Amino acid sequence: MRQGKRMTKMNTFSILTVDDDPIMTSTLQAYFQRSGFHVDTENEPEKAVERVRNGRYDILLLDFLMIPICGDQVVEQIRRFNKDIYIILLTGHKSMAPPIKTIRELDIQGYFEKSDRFDQLELLVESCVKSIGQMRTIREYQRGLSTILDVLPRIYHLQAAEKLAESIMEGVREITRSEEAFVGINSCNCVEFSAGNGLGTDLPECIMKRSGSYFTDEVVDRYVHMFRDEGRKEPVAEDQLLILPIRSGQMECIGLIGTRCPGEIRFEQRQLLEIFARQSAQAVQNTTLHAMVNKQKEELVKAYDDLRDGYIEVVSTMRLMVDARDIYTRGHSDRVSYYAVRAAQQLGRSSEYCERLKVASLFHDIGKLGVPDSILLKESKLSEEEYEKVKKHAAKGAEILSAIRRFGGIAPIVRGHHERYDGGGYPDRLRQNEIPEEARIIAVADSFDAMTSDRQYRKSLGYEKAVKELIEGKNTQFDPDIVDAFLIILNDYEKIKEELAWTYEEAVL
């Protein structure tokens, strides 16, 4: 049973094995197909480049010494258009392998010395599979959260219950990428549905929307009975099927969301749909409360608060996803927020000012969700085109935060945190007092933490070098008064490191 599940899992990963020796490629194909992988072979290196360009391969097993071009030349051509494929170089002897510098520059994940046993090669491949699986999960979270952000304006828009149910169902389909979905909501007053007043498909007050052929009246009624009559609290998760309640702020069930995916429901899909169910609940209540605005103004205010908190939840989750994408920057936003608030306190700013700065600092890099992993995680120097894409994250972050009134005051701060005091920054080339002071503070805190942290493309500069860089950057990159205040708080640097130790532990984990 366990072996069967493993083979099913491996079948989602594809391998291309390239060697000018047909016997070697056939042997590798047979070996890894027994483990459940989908394996293709190619004996001409130039054709292999085109197969990678036109196919969807996760791992490339590539011989180093081939005719007419060697493996490193093949990798060089592939890396021009594909940064994601994992490559393992096969050599006849360790002495024939390219130098480590070349392996790093070409982003080769490892090399294997050929023998009549493939145990070590299988371990290398399984290590690649784990990394690819983690990146797939991160990308699924990123895609799902982006989808939720796109859908939220549609379901939060005031509309009739019929249209709202349709919008929620379309959101479920987009998040899960499944045609089999249903949504049921109470169209009368969105109060608790209990016996005689709820979601049963025969009740006129129920709005039911469905797509696909799986969710018939009989199937839906079974789950309505489970949640309405039996009082079930937890979601139903059965292989391909996921049913979640839409609950009000008082935890009363006011609807159901259901989906049936082509494959087994993954953990990240369930998490994303649970987030969306909470947002849907706020949208349902908001629609109802607006119809009752003259009688229940207090509930209307609460609905807006719930919408705000819901959006904060999504944006906060997105902020954590930015950290999760790169082990080198985990905890970065928390440290920048800490440094920024300490600097503002040293400057004598108010508690309200410091709270606004704290939130802006936590979300200062949220726009990086729009930067591709191939650029964000690149270990070598960025090209001019790649750097231009990275520079857009400040404006993108401000755009995300501007979508809710609560964040209106911090959006300009996030937009300006890469402006320079001398006007040479981005995105607006502001200078001196044209830049919000909070953004100028974040610029100093952000730079200091970046310089004193290990990154994938370089090691930490160390405390002394970072301080020197701050001083040399006064009046050019940084506001001199803010640098002076920042240097004062660094007098307690050893104590600060102890207080921030948990953020570095997260990065290790």
Side-chain angles (χ1 to χ4, degrees):
M1 176 71 74
R2 187 174 298 173
Q3 179 67 15
K5 287 186 176 180
R6 182 180 182 276
M7 291 187 68
T8 300
K9 177 182 178 182
M10 295 306 182
N11 195 41
T12 64
F13 298 92
S14 59
I15 297 175
L16 176 64
T17 174
V18 182
D19 196 308
D20 52 8
D21 180 0
I23 295 177
M24 176 57 71
T25 53
S26 297
T27 302
L28 288 169
Q29 182 182 46
Y31 184 87
F32 284 103
Q33 280 183 340
R34 284 197 297 271
S35 296
F37 291 96
H38 173 81
V39 185
D40 289 337
T41 66
E42 180 55 63
N43 303 116
E44 298 183 33
E46 292 171 327
K47 288 185 178 180
V49 175
E50 294 308 309
R51 293 189 68 164
V52 173
R53 188 192 306 274
N54 300 320
R56 296 177 62 86
Y57 295 105
D58 300 301
I59 300 171
L60 177 64
L61 304 181
L62 178 65
D63 186 29
F64 178 50
L65 294 178
M66 295 185 294
I67 298 175
I69 60 175
C70 289
D72 56 344
Q73 295 171 288
V74 173
V75 177
E76 188 174 0
Q77 292 183 38
I78 288 174
R79 286 303 185 213
R80 291 172 188 165
F81 61 86
N82 188 324
K83 305 291 186 183
D84 297 328
I85 190 169
Y86 280 62
I87 300 176
I88 298 176
L89 212 57
L90 310 181
T91 64
H93 191 274
K94 188 179 295 184
S95 62
M96 299 178 184
I100 293 297
K101 180 181 178 183
T102 301
I103 289 176
R104 286 174 175 163
E105 288 176 349
L106 295 177
D107 195 19
I108 296 172
Q109 276 63 45
Y111 65 86
F112 169 73
E113 185 178 343
K114 293 180 183 177
S115 69
D116 57 353
R117 294 188 60 180
F118 294 135
D119 306 49
Q120 185 179 358
L121 178 59
E122 186 173 7
L123 288 175
L124 284 172
V125 169
E126 289 184 355
S127 177
C128 290
V129 165
K130 289 178 182 177
S131 296
I132 294 167
Q134 290 170 352
M135 291 307 301
R136 285 181 180 179
T137 299
I138 289 173
R139 285 170 182 156
E140 182 64 19
Y141 273 121
Q142 182 182 357
R143 185 202 65 81
L145 288 168
S146 296
T147 299
I148 290 175
L149 281 176
D150 289 340
V151 173
L152 287 184
R154 284 183 256 157
I155 68 171
Y156 285 164
H157 179 69
L158 294 179
Q159 55 195 312
E162 183 90 13
K163 183 63 177 175
L164 175 59
E166 183 75 32
S167 298
I168 293 174
M169 190 193 71
E170 288 302 315
V172 172
R173 291 175 58 186
E174 291 175 30
I175 293 166
T176 61
R177 290 185 282 200
S178 172
E179 292 300 315
E180 300 286 353
F182 88 91
V183 170
I185 61 174
N186 188 298
S187 64
C188 283
N189 50 24
C190 299
V191 297
E192 176 183 10
F193 75 92
S194 55
N197 178 30
L199 275 176
T201 52
D202 58 331
L203 297 177
E205 60 265 44
C206 172
I207 297 295
M208 182 68 62
K209 294 292 179 180
R210 32 190 158 191
S211 65
S213 58
Y214 179 79
F215 290 107
T216 61
D217 284 355
E218 181 181 359
V219 171
V220 173
D221 282 341
R222 181 166 73 249
Y223 292 107
V224 167
H225 174 73
M226 189 180 296
F227 282 91
R228 181 189 67 188
D229 301 327
E230 297 178 1
R232 184 183 177 93
K233 301 296 183 184
E234 297 300 316
V236 174
E238 301 173 345
D239 295 328
Q240 299 171 277
L241 193 67
L242 183 60
I243 312 293
L244 300 103
I246 301 174
R247 296 194 180 278
S248 68
Q250 293 74 40
M251 297 305 294
E252 298 166 339
C253 202
I254 56 176
L256 288 181
I257 285 176
T259 185
R260 186 172 185 264
C261 292
E264 184 177 349
I265 295 288
R266 298 189 302 276
F267 178 72
E268 62 269 20
Q269 286 180 314
R270 174 168 173 168
Q271 279 197 322
L272 289 166
L273 209 56
E274 285 178 347
I275 289 175
F276 185 63
R278 290 195 288 272
Q279 312 312 310
S280 299
Q282 305 308 328
V284 170
Q285 291 185 104
N286 190 42
T287 297
T288 301
L289 290 173
H290 269 278
M292 305 162 64
V293 65
N294 292 327
K295 296 181 180 179
Q296 300 178 330
K297 289 185 177 180
E298 288 184 3
E299 288 194 34
L300 179 61
V301 171
K302 183 181 182 305
Y304 272 120
D305 287 342
D306 287 343
L307 289 178
R308 176 204 64 196
D309 294 340
Y311 195 88
I312 291 173
E313 177 189 15
V314 174
V315 175
S316 297
T317 304
M318 289 175 65
R319 196 265 297 182
L320 294 175
M321 286 305 302
V322 172
D323 279 356
R325 291 172 72 192
D326 184 2
I327 62 172
Y328 290 93
T329 58
R330 289 178 190 170
H332 169 69
S333 297
D334 296 287
R335 293 192 294 274
V336 171
S337 181
Y338 175 93
Y339 286 128
V341 171
R342 284 287 302 270
Q345 291 170 341
Q346 179 64 37
L347 290 164
R349 302 301 179 256
S350 68
S351 58
E352 292 81 5
Y353 181 104
C354 292
E355 181 62 26
R356 181 170 67 252
L357 177 60
K358 176 182 177 181
V359 176
S361 302
L362 288 173
F363 292 155
H364 76 282
D365 273 343
I366 198 167
K368 286 187 177 178
L369 278 175
V371 180
D373 290 334
S374 59
I375 297 176
L376 195 63
L377 305 181
K378 187 175 181 180
E379 296 186 2
S380 56
K381 184 178 179 181
L382 297 180
S383 67
E384 185 174 344
E385 181 182 358
E386 289 170 332
Y387 184 53
E388 287 301 318
K389 290 182 179 180
V390 172
K391 287 166 64 176
K392 293 180 180 179
H393 81 273
K396 182 62 177 177
E399 181 183 334
I400 291 172
L401 295 170
S402 295
I404 188 168
R405 185 182 305 171
R406 175 184 174 86
F407 292 142
I410 68 170
I413 301 172
V414 170
R415 184 179 179 90
H417 78 278
H418 277 294
E419 300 287 358
R420 288 172 56 101
Y421 195 68
D422 60 6
Y426 61 86
D428 303 309
R429 301 187 69 83
L430 303 178
R431 64 189 306 273
Q432 296 187 13
N433 292 337
E434 293 174 348
I435 309 168
E437 185 184 60
E438 297 95 329
R440 284 178 268 150
I441 293 175
I442 292 175
V444 175
D446 188 24
S447 297
F448 179 77
D449 185 67
M451 290 188 287
T452 54
S453 301
D454 289 336
R455 294 294 170 90
Q456 66 266 31
Y457 50 86
R458 60 147 178 81
K459 288 289 186 181
S460 164
L461 300 183
Y463 173 80
E464 299 294 338
K465 183 68 181 296
V467 168
K468 181 181 178 183
E469 291 286 332
L470 291 181
I471 294 172
E472 291 179 352
K474 291 168 66 172
N475 290 307
T476 54
Q477 185 174 356
F478 307 119
D479 183 322
D481 294 335
I482 291 173
V483 171
D484 290 341
F486 198 84
L487 295 178
I488 292 173
I489 70 170
L490 290 183
N491 289 331
D492 294 325
Y493 186 60
E494 292 303 318
K495 183 178 179 181
I496 289 173
K497 284 199 299 183
E498 292 179 4
E499 294 180 9
L500 293 175
W502 65 273
T503 67
Y504 293 99
E505 290 171 2
E506 280 196 345
V508 172
L509 293 174

